[in-house]
Amino acid sequence: QSVLTQPPSASGTPGQRVTISCSGSSSNIGINTVNWYQQVPGTAPKLLIYSNNQRPSGVPDRFSGSKSGTSASLAISGLQSEDEADYYCAAWDDSLNGLYVFGTGTKVTVL
Amino acid sequence: QVQLQESGPGLVKPSQTLSLTCSVSGGSISSGGYYWSWIRQHPGKGLEWIGNIHYSGSTYYNPTLKSRVTISADTSKNHYSLKLTSVTAADTAVYYCAREDQAYGMDVWGQGTTVTVSS
């Protein structure tokens, strides 16, 4: 049921920059803020970015978010081995009387 | 700090009702303007929002599950609950509870509990 589309995978070597895209529509990203979650396999998701580009306390500044129109992006600069995880974008969708939608998820592999 | 912990049966028979509870510690579910959410993750799949309950008592549900879902809160016990009726194998998943601030996203998550629907 995901209405936010992400690439299934992304990869990079340590120190590289990796970018993950999140494509939505006018009823979700186009009018609402975007959050990003990181999920290490076997563990619960963790809030990584909120309100498009804000980092919660404790999240390294190598993680950054941006939004333009109906799309958003997450960038990881200076990729580290512990960044290997699944990443999900998310936003409220106003088309169905309120529905919080997650992206399809992107598996980041550190080569 | 606030911590969440899911609890409930790990195995539910088809057509029965799945019931889970999320116990909240380190803070009150009736204060702060938060939404208290349920999210699930099918095996090897992505995240699916089930619904939430506001501290005022208002509830919001995923339209695809709305006919089968009830989320309620017990402020005296500082926990909230999920009931999903008429379950099938398609409801087999890891179920998470999470605290949501509409400005800050889902900032606190439980560890998740696996529910298998099988006879």
Side-chain angles (χ1 to χ4, degrees):
Chain A
Q1 185 197 15
S2 296
V3 297
L4 303 182
T5 303
Q6 301 177 233
S9 63
S11 62
T13 57
Q16 278 191 328
R17 176 184 172 91
V18 169
T19 301
I20 301 168
S21 62
C22 175
S23 178
S25 69
S26 58
S27 63
N28 42 65
I29 294 178
I31 55 174
N32 293 309
T33 59
V34 178
N35 302 319
W36 289 89
Y37 300 90
Q38 176 193 57
Q39 185 179 31
V40 174
T43 69
K46 167 191 170 185
L47 180 65
L48 198 65
I49 296 287
Y50 67 92
S51 295
N52 303 327
N53 55 18
Q54 302 298 303
R55 286 186 307 276
S57 175
V59 172
D61 60 6
R62 64 176 184 275
F63 293 96
S64 63
S66 64
K67 176 184 132 173
S68 178
T70 59
S71 295
S73 293
L74 173 71
I76 310 174
S77 302
L79 192 66
Q80 299 185 6
S81 58
E82 58 261 39
D83 299 333
E84 187 159 292
D86 296 318
Y87 293 82
Y88 296 90
C89 59
W92 281 97
D93 189 300
D94 290 358
S95 65
L96 291 170
N97 296 319
L99 170 65
Y100 194 74
V101 290
F102 289 95
T104 50
T106 299
K107 169 69 176 177
V108 169
T109 301
V110 181
L111 301 170
Chain B
Q1 71 276 21
V2 174
Q3 293 183 315
L4 307 182
Q5 177 69 58
E6 305 89 348
S7 61
L11 180 64
V12 181
K13 289 182 167 48
S15 80
Q16 293 191 341
T17 297
L18 179 160
S19 296
L20 297 174
T21 295
C22 181
S23 299
V24 180
S25 59
S28 171
I29 64 171
S30 58
S31 66
Y34 295 108
Y35 292 78
W36 302 93
S37 301
W38 287 99
I39 303 97
R40 70 181 182 178
Q41 186 168 36
H42 295 106
K45 302 297 184 182
L47 301 167
E48 179 182 30
W49 180 77
I50 299 171
N52 63 24
I53 185 165
H54 189 243
Y55 80 107
S56 65
S58 299
T59 52
Y60 303 88
Y61 300 131
N62 186 322
T64 65
L65 298 169
K66 187 174 183 178
S67 63
R68 298 195 292 130
V69 171
T70 302
I71 297 175
S72 59
D74 187 332
T75 55
S76 67
K77 296 181 179 178
N78 210 37
H79 72 208
Y80 64 108
S81 300
L82 168 70
K83 290 189 186 301
L84 182 65
T85 62
S86 305
V87 297
T88 69
D91 295 307
T92 293
V94 176
Y95 286 76
Y96 295 100
C97 58
R99 185 183 79 170
E100 180 190 355
D101 181 301
Q102 288 217 308
Y104 302 112
M106 295 179 185
D107 62 343
V108 183
W109 292 68
Q111 65 184 27
T113 188
T114 300
V115 177
T116 301
V117 178
S118 175
S119 55

